Amino acid sequence: MTDLILKQKKVGFIGAGNLAQAIISGLLESGTLQKEQIVVSSRTDKRLKRVEEKFGVQIRDANEKVVDECQIIVVATKPQDFFEAVEPIATSFGPEHTVISLAAGIQLMSLRKILFECENIVRVMANVPVKAKAGMMGYIMAKDSVTSARVVEALFSPLGKVIEIEDEEAMSAFTVGAASGVGFALELMQYWQDWLEGYGISKQDARAIAIQTFIGAGKLAEDNIQLSFYEYIDLIASKKGVTSAGLESMREMDLERALRIAFEKAYIRDRDLGK
Ligand SMILES: NC(=O)c1ccc[n+]([C@@H]2O[C@H](COP(=O)([O-])OP(=O)(O)OC[C@H]3O[C@@H](n4cnc5c(N)ncnc54)[C@H](OP(=O)(O)O)[C@@H]3O)[C@@H](O)[C@H]2O)c1
């Protein structure tokens, strides 16, 4: 269903790669936008033609045309291509635009500098499960704006959960927890699988057990938000039982400390890359 905020609006995409296509597909499948409302430009004709065939959206042969035609612009290039795409057309952006940057690591300060005529600038950080419509997206706005917040939530909620982040430091923490977090969770799932295989369970089954256990724990926690994770553990782990034996050992070995150090290292790397 179209959020009224997007009614009669055109949404432009500069860059039509993996993330842009995941967003376009989510918007069309959910009925959030009609294909006539989506206008796309990219670096190569080949990519544009493919996107036109796949989604039936409007394509344009220059980024500037997208900016001229649309009220909402999503810049969906890789960070290293961002300035090459936006700098030559920076003066085409004006106060009438809401500009959303998906470029990982490019902070609001840099976006404000380059898009000097724009007030509504939003940086969105998405994680890879957007591809499975189970993404986690965080956004941070250059200026508090109820309109920008509604636009972002309407555009991105078909791909998963969307939350507002207060400042760039919290955005780095979000990046570690949600984006790098997917890598960390997969690493843990590999340990699960390897250990199960050691007891003769087939690779395929061990993989399925690991996946289903993580999904199941997540779903239970989601369905019982009144309980903290620890309170849920207390409900399922009986004293001196099997789960308690494993948890005691994890706590004795200070697994939390090891993970906190890993998170901090990733956080520091994100802050350094953003400079
Ligand atoms: N993929 C994901 O699941 C994912 C998840 C979270 C965050 N992100 C972030 O999202 C951003 C985009 O990632 P992606 O995976 O979608 O990248 P991608 O697949 O490489 O797509 C980038 C797109 O930008 C286009 N482009 C490059 N230079 C351009 C220019 N000067 N003018 C117009 N278009 C230009 C490319 O065009 P051509 O193909 O025509 O050369 C391509 O269509 C990155 O910052 C990434 O970190 C991605």
Side-chain angles (χ1 to χ4, degrees), residues 82-83 86-87 99 101 103 105-119 121-124 140-143 166-169 171 271-275:
F82 180 90
F83 292 101
V86 174
E87 220 150 25
V99 185
S101 164
I106 298 185
Q107 300 200 349
L108 274 183
M109 205 170 58
S110 312
L111 298 174
R112 265 204 222 101
K113 216 187 261 174
I114 193 170
L115 299 164
F116 50 90
E117 300 255 11
C118 287
E119 290 186 357
I121 305 171
V122 189
R123 178 183 168 210
V124 174
I140 175 169
M141 295 186 282
K143 192 187 97 186
E166 279 303 310
D167 54 36
E168 289 289 359
E169 288 188 356
M171 193 58 140
R271 300 300 296 160
D272 284 347
L273 290 176
K275 278 177 191 157

Side-chain angles (χ1 to χ4, degrees), residues 14-20 42-44 47 63 76-79 81 84-85 102-104 126-128 130-131:
I14 295 179
N18 291 312
L19 188 52
S42 196
R43 187 168 39 192
T44 58
R47 172 84 77 169
N63 296 334
T77 65
K78 283 260 158 66
D81 297 323
E84 201 186 302
L102 301 177
N127 69 2
V128 182
V130 288
K131 288 183 183 169

Side-chain angles (χ1 to χ4, degrees), residues 26-230:
L27 290 170
L28 294 175
E29 277 172 26
S30 61
T32 306
L33 290 180
Q34 302 304 308
K35 52 185 193 292
E36 298 74 25
Q37 289 177 277
I38 299 177
V39 186
V40 179
S41 63
S42 196
R43 187 168 39 192
T44 58
D45 283 348
K46 202 170 138 204
R47 172 84 77 169
L48 270 185
K49 286 268 173 287
R50 227 181 301 145
V51 169
E52 185 183 35
E53 276 163 24
K54 196 165 163 191
F55 300 108
V57 294
Q58 314 287 305
I59 57 167
R60 297 292 176 265
D61 59 7
N63 296 334
E64 198 167 8
K65 293 183 183 170
V66 171
V67 179
D68 290 345
E69 209 173 314
C70 299
Q71 299 77 32
I72 299 161
I73 316 291
V74 180
V75 186
T77 65
K78 283 260 158 66
Q80 62 269 29
D81 297 323
F82 180 90
F83 292 101
E84 201 186 302
V86 174
E87 220 150 25
I89 57 164
T91 52
S92 307
F93 290 90
E96 69 281 16
H97 290 115
T98 298
V99 185
I100 299 168
S101 164
L102 301 177
I106 298 185
Q107 300 200 349
L108 274 183
M109 205 170 58
S110 312
L111 298 174
R112 265 204 222 101
K113 216 187 261 174
I114 193 170
L115 299 164
F116 50 90
E117 300 255 11
C118 287
E119 290 186 357
N120 296 317
I121 305 171
V122 189
R123 178 183 168 210
V124 174
M125 184 70 210
N127 69 2
V128 182
V130 288
K131 288 183 183 169
K133 301 200 169 50
M136 183 71 237
M137 285 144 286
Y139 69 92
I140 175 169
M141 295 186 282
K143 192 187 97 186
D144 268 347
S145 154
V146 176
T147 311
S148 300
R150 266 184 69 192
V151 165
V152 170
E153 291 187 17
L155 286 179
F156 292 92
S157 49
L159 295 180
K161 293 204 187 313
V162 187
I163 55 164
E164 186 183 347
I165 305 289
E166 279 303 310
D167 54 36
E168 289 289 359
E169 288 188 356
M171 193 58 140
S172 285
F174 175 87
T175 302
V176 172
S180 309
V182 174
F184 303 156
L186 289 168
E187 173 91 8
L188 294 179
M189 287 159 76
Q190 185 69 56
Y191 303 162
W192 249 248
Q193 178 183 331
D194 291 347
W195 182 80
L196 288 162
E197 280 184 59
Y199 278 87
I201 295 178
S202 73
K203 194 176 189 157
Q204 202 185 357
D205 285 350
R207 181 184 162 92
I209 294 167
I211 293 172
Q212 195 58 20
T213 304
F214 275 75
I215 292 176
K219 279 205 184 300
L220 269 187
E222 190 179 41
D223 290 348
N224 294 279
I225 47 165
Q226 75 283 6
L227 293 176
S228 72
F229 298 143
Y230 277 142

